[in-house]
Amino acid sequence: MTEIEKKYGISDIIKKGIGVSSGIAIGKIYKLDSGHLDTPSFCYMDKSYIPLEIKRFKDAIRQSKKQLLNIKKQIIKNGKGAEHVPIIDAHIMMLGDEKLVKDTIKIIKDEMVNAEWALKMVLKSLSDFFSRVDDVYLRERGSDIEHVGDRIIRNLMGKKHEGISDIKGDVIVVSHDIAPTDTIQMTKGNVLAFLTDVGGRTSHTAIVARSLEIPAVVGLENISQMINDGDAVIVDGTIGTVVINPSKDTIKEYKKKKKDYEDHDRFYHKYKALSAQTIDGHRIKIMGNIEMIEEVPSIMDHGADGIGLYRTEFLYLNRRHMPSEEEHLKAYKAVVEKIAPNPATIRTLDIGGDKFISLMELAEEINPAMGLRAIRFCLKKPDVFKTQLRAILRASAFGKARIMFPMISGIDELLAAKALLEESKNELRQEGKPFDENIEIGMMIEVPSAAIIADMLAKEVSFFSIGTNDLIQYALAIDRGNEHVAYLYEPLHPAVLRIIKSVIDAGHNAGIEVGVCGEMAGEPEYAVILMGLGIDQLSMNAFSILRVKRIIRHARLSEAEEMASRILNSGAVSDADKSLINEILMRNN
Ligand code: PEP
Ligand code: MG
């Protein structure tokens, strides 16, 4: 009887967490002892020992730095995961953080206590600070401080910092938390999957897992205490579940699911190098949606024609102060250079609504989705806006950058945004700072009023990108985050399709390209219908790219057009059209 059976006496115990990286893994648990250190005990020091204690603390910092530099060297040598080196650099920087170092030394001196205890006090006040911060992304940065503190304490206590590289054999790693420096050392070879008690979708650890394509479930609360080394588990990173102590039947069922998943992956693999071209020779562009530079390799690996939506909000979330122009520039330049010669469509700040940023102290609004969000906020804060615009312009000197304005609801807003862009260009010209004079300016169509006057707006921009996530919310009056009305959120609602069609026609009449960058673009069935409506470009997450390419390559433009026209006119997807979509999905070439 395994420990877990002794503990629970049953099989198939299901724990639900947040699936942050897709895939299925079946294996035995390896508990990584890197997240949870017993609190070091408090110890008074004789005054004569204080200098020694400070030296011991400084030595531990030096040793921690050496360890991190070694990990960095190893990653660079292996040639894999180099894009994550900045995370290690950030940890190295934290080791020199004034607050961390000076405050700890001050506590050792003033309170005559041991270094472990002093450091623990400082870490506690830092982590209290982070836990009070409202935005999720910034709150998760608190865990980086904890990882760094944990490493110093281990070195102070002479405890080995057990790393992923020490693991032998295929295992499912479980830990209270896993430091990004550990995740980076994972390879598809030595770790089948990983599970943590804490964390969320935007933690660095989750991002790294996605880019390495290792299944991962986080936010499992107490999983690291529930299970032990050698316990059998099944991880489904796609839906975020863990089956502890699976029965024979469950293992059989998941082995089949895993095979299907892998066959699927192999099956889609060949589409990486192929374009989204229909049987009758019509080609549309497939672009990627990203939020951070770390996601660019995955987009490229799936053969995207560029970045159709770079949501820049994360740049603002990951910090306590507004990003400077140089910081913006660094981020955009890296993305633009990496995706070159393909374009990177950089969307200006879309704050507000469900994307709340604490550092900006936005006033509480009764109805934030219709409040001071996105371009409205930027036009109210021209300095904040121009800092970003200048940086995007400057990044355009390093590749093909395109600027995109979100949430435009009328012509005046668009003209005001363009005027600030023009001002920024003039400043840069005067300062002799280079940028692409022909940079394309586009806008999102996600407010119904913009869709209705798309013909007027089209004269002012080089492209439209339809943000169906918001457009559907506003057109059907359905809060996109409200589960009670989620059943009404219908991308194929005839009103939505008519709006999309009219925007495409208005764009084409003015000779500009029209794309979709909302979630709808990444659903293969919807992608065919959007193509039938005349869309030129679809932008989506990396996972959807191959699936959408496949369905487009097996469809004919003529049948997609006929289907789109039938749905537009009848107001519903008939059974015959559902069968047609299924038939296209089943086609082989
Ligand atoms: C959209 O609204 O469809 C969109 C792509 O923007 P976001 O999801 O960032 O609001
Ligand atoms: Mg939107």
Side-chain angles (χ1 to χ4, degrees):
M1 211 183 210
T2 64
E3 278 298 309
I4 204 94
E5 276 172 327
K6 272 189 229 154
K7 249 195 250 175
Y8 298 96
I10 44 167
S11 336
D12 291 340
I13 301 159
I14 296 186
K15 274 287 276 179
K16 184 99 187 78
I18 308 164
V20 291
S21 182
S22 318
I24 290 170
I26 304 170
K28 299 263 187 227
I29 283 294
Y30 180 94
K31 268 182 112 161
L32 185 72
D33 175 30
S34 69
H36 240 17
L37 258 186
D38 289 338
T39 312
S41 45
F42 171 88
C43 187
Y44 264 127
M45 313 288 297
D46 185 85
K47 204 169 178 193
S48 59
Y49 284 112
I50 300 296
L52 271 181
E53 199 57 10
I54 294 173
K55 180 177 178 305
R56 204 165 69 81
F57 174 61
K58 287 185 175 165
D59 285 348
I61 298 246
R62 253 191 300 277
Q63 201 180 345
S64 304
K65 194 166 170 186
K66 211 164 127 194
Q67 288 163 350
L68 287 170
L69 286 170
N70 273 340
I71 295 174
K72 181 173 161 179
K73 227 181 354 199
Q74 206 58 41
I75 291 170
I76 294 171
K77 197 171 129 208
N78 293 345
K80 264 197 95 180
E83 64 274 21
H84 306 303
V85 165
I87 300 174
I88 301 181
D89 285 337
H91 281 199
I92 294 173
M93 251 175 70
M94 282 179 201
L95 284 170
D97 182 81
E98 283 230 339
K99 199 141 185 57
L100 195 85
V101 179
K102 280 201 178 148
D103 286 8
T104 305
I105 294 178
K106 191 171 179 321
I107 294 180
I108 299 175
K109 271 191 197 157
D110 293 356
E111 299 183 23
M112 298 205 293
V113 290
N114 52 329
E116 289 91 339
W117 186 261
L119 176 61
K120 200 82 194 169
M121 293 300 101
V122 174
L123 291 173
K124 187 169 178 326
S125 82
L126 285 171
S127 100
D128 285 351
F129 166 79
F130 278 106
S131 65
R132 282 195 304 271
V133 172
D134 285 334
D135 77 65
V136 184
Y137 192 84
L138 190 53
R139 209 161 45 227
E140 280 170 9
R141 294 290 74 73
S143 67
D144 286 336
I145 289 271
E146 275 172 32
H147 294 310
V148 171
D150 181 86
R151 183 174 291 278
I152 308 170
I153 290 182
R154 271 175 197 281
N155 286 324
L156 277 168
M157 295 167 86
K159 280 202 173 190
K160 202 170 148 273
H161 183 94
E162 194 184 20
I164 300 278
S165 53
D166 304 321
I167 296 175
K168 307 272 175 292
D170 291 347
V171 286
I172 291 171
V173 172
V174 67
S175 184
H176 174 67
D177 194 3
I178 298 182
T181 39
D182 278 326
T183 333
I184 292 165
Q185 296 174 71
M186 290 184 189
T187 62
K188 262 191 144 169
N190 68 350
V191 174
L192 298 176
F194 74 79
L195 311 171
T196 60
D197 295 341
V198 296
R201 256 200 93 70
T202 57
S203 58
H204 279 312
T205 305
I207 295 165
V208 175
R210 281 199 288 278
S211 72
L212 294 175
E213 295 177 33
I214 296 174
V217 183
V218 304
L220 285 156
E221 293 170 346
N222 59 347
I223 188 111
S224 69
Q225 283 153 42
M226 279 179 79
I227 46 182
N228 286 315
D229 276 342
D231 283 343
V233 293
I234 296 173
V235 178
D236 187 336
T238 314
I239 55 169
T241 54
V242 181
V243 186
I244 303 170
N245 195 29
S247 64
K248 279 199 180 112
D249 283 349
T250 308
I251 294 178
K252 206 167 141 197
E253 178 198 330
Y254 270 91
K255 275 192 173 159
K256 188 178 170 321
K257 268 196 195 171
K258 181 168 154 58
K259 188 172 174 310
D260 287 351
Y261 186 88
E262 286 164 359
D263 283 353
H264 230 232
D265 243 31
R266 258 193 299 279
F267 177 68
Y268 284 114
H269 198 81
K270 65 177 177 199
Y271 296 97
K272 287 187 177 183
L274 300 175
S275 58
Q277 179 161 321
T278 59
I279 300 171
D280 47 356
H282 176 71
R283 182 167 174 191
I284 61 169
K285 284 189 206 146
I286 302 294
M287 314 286 273
N289 289 357
I290 64 155
E291 276 147 0
M292 298 170 206
I293 174 91
E294 284 88 348
E295 292 167 290
V296 181
S298 180
I299 294 286
M300 289 166 72
D301 188 43
H302 288 78
D305 297 309
I307 295 167
L309 171 63
Y310 174 9
R311 290 181 166 103
T312 56
E313 292 76 67
F314 278 75
L315 209 67
Y316 295 79
L317 293 171
N318 187 17
R319 51 185 311 114
R320 263 180 272 180
H321 307 287
M322 284 288 182
S324 67
E325 183 178 320
E326 294 307 314
E327 284 164 318
H328 276 290
L329 175 62
K330 194 167 163 230
Y332 306 151
K333 177 174 176 276
V335 169
V336 166
E337 284 182 335
K338 189 125 194 139
I339 199 78
N342 285 322
T345 313
I346 306 176
R347 181 177 74 180
T348 60
L349 178 60
D350 183 6
I351 186 204
D354 58 341
K355 301 167 195 130
F356 181 72
I357 302 178
S358 56
L359 71 86
M360 295 187 188
E361 289 162 8
L362 290 182
E364 284 226 357
E365 293 179 317
I366 292 176
N367 196 347
M370 295 194 185
L372 190 65
R373 63 171 285 201
I375 199 71
R376 303 168 184 185
F377 172 85
C378 289
L379 293 176
K380 269 249 152 90
K381 302 241 179 214
D383 291 348
V384 172
F385 193 32
K386 273 176 68 182
T387 303
Q388 184 178 35
L389 292 177
R390 285 173 53 100
I392 301 175
L393 286 169
R394 287 174 64 194
S396 71
F398 299 92
K400 190 161 170 42
R402 311 199 303 169
I403 294 187
M404 181 157 76
F405 299 125
M407 283 288 293
I408 297 282
S409 64
I411 196 92
D412 289 347
E413 253 171 356
L414 177 61
L415 295 180
K418 282 180 69 180
L420 287 170
L421 182 66
E422 215 40 56
E423 253 180 61
S424 309
K425 283 184 180 176
N426 281 333
E427 287 170 11
L428 292 176
R429 282 185 199 111
Q430 273 164 20
E431 292 163 27
K433 295 195 170 122
F435 65 91
D436 175 7
E437 289 281 353
N438 298 316
I439 188 167
E440 285 180 36
I441 303 162
M443 59 166 281
M444 293 192 63
I445 299 270
E446 46 188 351
V447 181
S449 58
I452 294 167
I453 57 159
D455 55 330
M456 292 153 78
L457 297 166
K459 294 186 187 124
E460 294 294 334
V461 287
S462 311
F463 63 92
F464 281 155
S465 186
I466 305 176
T468 44
N469 305 341
D470 277 316
L471 183 63
I472 297 170
Q473 136 164 294
Y474 296 125
L476 303 184
I478 295 155
D479 178 349
R480 67 193 253 193
N482 182 338
E483 71 277 17
H484 302 298
V485 287
Y487 72 100
L488 289 170
Y489 196 92
E490 176 46 90
L492 296 185
H493 190 296
V496 173
L497 293 188
R498 280 187 192 184
I499 295 174
I500 294 176
K501 175 75 180 143
S502 71
V503 172
I504 294 172
D505 290 348
H508 288 176
N509 284 339
I512 66 168
E513 200 175 62
V514 184
V516 170
C517 64
E519 293 307 300
M520 190 178 174
E523 297 289 335
E525 296 84 342
Y526 298 154
V528 177
I529 297 168
L530 289 169
M531 179 176 73
L533 292 174
I535 211 77
D536 305 301
Q537 184 185 113
L538 296 170
S539 192
M540 62 203 71
N541 62 70
F543 181 78
S544 299
I545 291 177
L546 302 183
R547 282 146 184 87
V548 170
K549 274 191 187 179
R550 180 176 189 277
I551 197 164
I552 301 286
R553 289 188 66 85
H554 288 89
R556 284 182 195 84
L557 177 64
S558 53
E559 64 193 351
E561 282 174 343
E562 284 161 21
M563 180 162 49
S565 140
R566 276 194 300 271
I567 301 171
L568 266 182
N569 293 321
S570 69
V573 187
S574 65
D575 287 344
D577 282 330
K578 281 185 196 149
S579 310
L580 175 59
I581 290 177
N582 278 333
E583 194 249 306
I584 299 174
L585 278 168
M586 302 301 286
R587 280 179 199 162
N588 277 317
N589 59 6

